[in-house]
Amino acid sequence: MTYRCAVIGNPIAHSKSPDIHAGFARARGIALEYTRILAERDNFADIVKDFFAKGGRGLNITLPFKETAFALAECHTPYAQAAGAANTLWMESGQLWADNTDGRGLIRALTHDHRQTFENKRILLLGAGGAARGALLPLIEASPAHLHIANRSADKAQTLAAPYENAEASGLDALAALPAFDLIINATSAGLNDGKFDLPASLAHPHTFAYDMLYGKDTAFLQWAQSHTLAHADGYTMLVNQARLSFQQWFPA
Ligand code: NDP
């Protein structure tokens, strides 16, 4: 039997998900047809319903439909709930389920691929958009000593940090006053438009690890890390690991 999965987004032609999932399927000996689907705001819900009505196994959702997918689903994992957004959909007992594997994919990438640990560590999360929201609960669950969220619009960072005892927040302009961090995660989209992104040198110590969620670009953030000779990586490992968690949901071992 050939199973059908797909990723829905707009734009979608660039998506690496079909290649990544083909690799997982090969490794498990599963026959999988995984396609890219281009959707518009007014046909997204119909495409999802039609996909599952015709026996589709699972969907990945990417920009700009993660919030719409969350709203469409009848049941949500705690990670989707915390993010208010979904990147993974499937049917279970006749109900549409939603998960958000981005944050757990980030943690798995940092721990498995980049050998980072969280206990007793000071973590800086830059950004307070969808990607930061998705990362927050898994980051808190990793039990760092301290998590600081900094965003261009400080109020959005403060809203994210408010429920958590070991989290604080500020605008980017307050970063110069803070002690160095062990791990700095860039969850802003500044790199997408080649935006300037200057950070104070005092944020890093010689063993700070810098991770940019964006992948495939030499962003200003990664250049900042290189200029301070910090170990660093881009978001490709997060992409692969969020995909792995989706695949495990659709095809439990
Ligand atoms: P959103 O549009 O939801 O949020 C964008 C964030 O970036 C906001 O916090 C915004 O600040 C900030 N920002 C934008 N431009 C600048 C700038 N020039 N300087 C400083 N801050 C800026 O985007 P997402 O959260 O969905 O995505 C963020 C990044 O994460 C993207 O690069 C995306 O590609 C990547 N990503 C990677 C994934 C992976 O698997 N590797 C998965 C998901 C996302 P403000 O609130 O002030 O506007």
Side-chain angles (χ1 to χ4, degrees):
M1 169 178 184
T2 299
Y3 293 98
R4 285 193 310 113
C5 292
V7 57
I8 307 184
N10 189 338
I12 199 63
H14 67 287
S15 173
K16 296 186 190 310
S17 293
D19 302 330
I20 294 171
H21 283 276
F24 297 150
R26 256 195 316 277
R28 288 268 306 277
I30 291 170
L32 176 67
E33 180 191 297
Y34 187 113
T35 52
R36 299 178 181 88
I37 302 177
L38 179 69
E40 304 292 338
R41 290 230 174 254
D42 58 0
N43 66 5
F44 174 78
D46 287 342
I47 289 175
V48 171
K49 284 176 191 158
D50 186 57
F51 178 86
F52 287 114
K54 290 183 175 151
R57 181 78 167 193
L59 286 174
N60 281 132
I61 310 298
T62 189
L63 292 176
F65 299 119
K66 290 184 181 181
E67 281 85 3
T68 318
F70 176 84
L72 194 62
E74 295 151 295
C75 306
H76 307 90
T77 67
Y79 301 100
Q81 201 75 52
N87 74 340
T88 306
L89 298 178
W90 70 97
M91 292 298 290
E92 202 172 306
S93 307
Q95 293 193 297
L96 183 63
W97 271 84
D99 192 9
N100 188 316
T101 64
D102 283 339
R104 282 171 289 148
L106 168 72
I107 300 294
R108 210 189 133 90
L110 289 168
T111 53
H112 282 66
D113 299 326
H114 307 298
R115 302 282 158 213
Q116 297 300 299
T117 58
F118 290 88
E119 273 174 38
N120 303 317
K121 296 291 174 66
R122 287 174 49 76
I123 317 288
L124 174 60
L125 178 65
L126 300 167
R133 235 172 33 237
L136 193 53
L137 180 57
L139 274 173
I140 293 285
E141 285 178 349
S143 304
H146 182 73
L147 174 66
H148 190 96
I149 307 167
N151 192 44
R152 186 171 58 181
S153 321
D155 56 328
K156 282 167 70 178
Q158 269 140 12
T159 304
L160 288 193
Y164 302 108
E165 244 175 38
N166 59 343
E168 279 178 0
S170 73
L172 296 174
D173 46 0
L175 289 175
L178 301 178
F181 290 87
D182 303 297
L183 172 61
I184 304 178
I185 301 163
N186 183 21
T188 76
S189 56
L192 280 177
N193 46 19
D194 299 318
K196 211 167 148 279
F197 201 59
D198 274 339
L199 295 170
S202 55
L203 287 182
H205 58 64
H207 302 294
T208 299
F209 187 78
Y211 191 83
D212 200 329
M213 286 195 189
L214 186 59
Y215 57 87
K217 277 191 92 166
D218 189 22
T219 61
F221 174 74
L222 290 178
Q223 287 166 14
W224 174 83
Q226 283 155 32
S227 72
H228 293 89
T229 62
L230 303 182
H232 58 276
D234 78 2
Y236 187 72
T237 48
M238 174 178 171
L239 181 76
V240 172
N241 281 289
Q242 61 79 26
R244 189 189 309 282
L245 291 163
S246 298
F247 190 88
Q248 286 168 352
Q249 175 59 58
W250 303 327
F251 302 104

